[in-house]
Amino acid sequence: MNKLKLATIWLDGCSGCHMSLLDIDEGLAAVARKADLVYSPLVDAQQFPDNVDVTLVEGAVGNQDDLKKIQMIRRRSRILVSLGDCAVTGNVPAMRNTIPVKQLVEQIYLRGAQAQPCIPSEGVPALLKHAVPVHEVVKVDLHVPGCPPPAGAILTVVSDLLEGRKPEVSGKLKFG
Ligand code: SF4
C-alpha cells in the first residue's frame, strides 16, 4: 500500500507546537507506518513537494515570505491544518498588531539597539501590516487550538486524517 504524504511547516511560531508533536513519542512510529514525512523542520527536505495529503501549519502569517510560502503550500496540500493558537488566532505574533510596522522596527533596531543601530534591509522579509491567522490568507480545513495543543490531541488529529476520518477531539482541545 502506498503511504500518504505528511508535511509540517513552521511560520511565525516558537516551535512549541512542533515540540508537542514530538511528544507523541511512540505514536510517531504509528504515524510513520501510515505516512512519509515529506517536508518539515524535522527532516532534511529542501522543496515542498506536490500532492501532500496532510500539512500541519504552526505559527501565524507575519511577513511576505510566510505569505508566499503558505499560498504555495495550500496549492500543494489536500488537507491543511492550523496547529496551535498562533496559526488559529495570531496569538503571540499578533501582539505587535497595535503598533505600526515602521514604529515597531525603529524601536527595535534603532532606539532599542545596544550597538550599531541599523534597520536590516537585506535577507529579511518585509513584515506584513499585521500578523494574521492562517485562515485569513488561505483556506484552512481544520483548526487545532492550544498553546501548544496537547500531544495526545495532535496524535488523534493526525491519525484520524491519515485514516480518512473526521477528527474527533471534542473535550481534548482548548485555547491557551
Ligand atoms: S501556539 Fe504557543 S506553542 Fe505554538 S507556536 Fe504559538 S506560542 Fe508557540
Side-chain angles (χ1 to χ4, degrees):
M1 186 184 84
N2 286 341
K3 282 193 190 175
L4 298 179
K5 293 183 188 175
L6 174 67
T8 78
I9 177 79
W10 174 355
L11 302 176
D12 289 13
C14 73
S15 83
C17 292
H18 273 79
M19 293 302 109
S20 198
L21 172 65
L22 289 176
D23 277 346
I24 288 174
D25 295 331
E26 67 274 10
L28 288 169
V31 170
R33 281 194 287 276
K34 295 175 198 150
D36 288 324
L37 189 58
V38 293
Y39 186 91
S40 172
L42 307 172
V43 299
D44 185 23
Q46 304 301 314
Q47 299 281 340
F48 194 95
D50 287 324
N51 303 317
V52 173
D53 293 289
V54 177
T55 300
L56 310 177
V57 185
E58 172 187 318
V61 180
N63 62 52
Q64 293 289 351
D65 275 9
D66 293 341
L67 186 56
K68 282 188 204 144
K69 206 178 284 178
I70 196 64
Q71 288 170 336
M72 175 271 291
I73 286 170
R74 173 68 274 186
R75 286 193 298 274
R76 297 181 185 184
S77 302
R78 187 165 57 84
I79 298 172
L80 193 72
V81 179
S82 278
L83 182 69
D85 288 353
C86 294
V88 174
T89 69
N91 197 31
V92 175
M95 290 170 77
R96 71 165 171 88
N97 287 355
T98 57
I99 306 171
V101 167
K102 185 169 184 291
Q103 187 181 329
L104 180 76
V105 168
E106 288 177 355
Q107 178 61 37
I108 292 168
Y109 290 105
L110 300 181
R111 291 185 289 279
Q114 300 293 313
Q116 299 181 323
C118 172
I119 296 176
S121 58
E122 289 181 17
V124 181
L127 291 177
L128 299 177
K129 186 175 177 191
H130 294 137
V132 296
V134 176
H135 66 267
E136 282 202 18
V137 294
V138 294
K139 175 176 173 279
V140 169
D141 299 296
L142 186 70
H143 291 91
V144 181
C147 185
I154 297 175
L155 179 58
T156 299
V157 165
V158 172
S159 300
D160 283 353
L161 290 175
L162 294 178
E163 297 279 356
R165 292 188 299 269
K166 186 164 181 253
E168 180 41 69
V169 284
S170 51
K172 290 187 182 170
L173 295 171
K174 62 182 177 60
F175 289 96

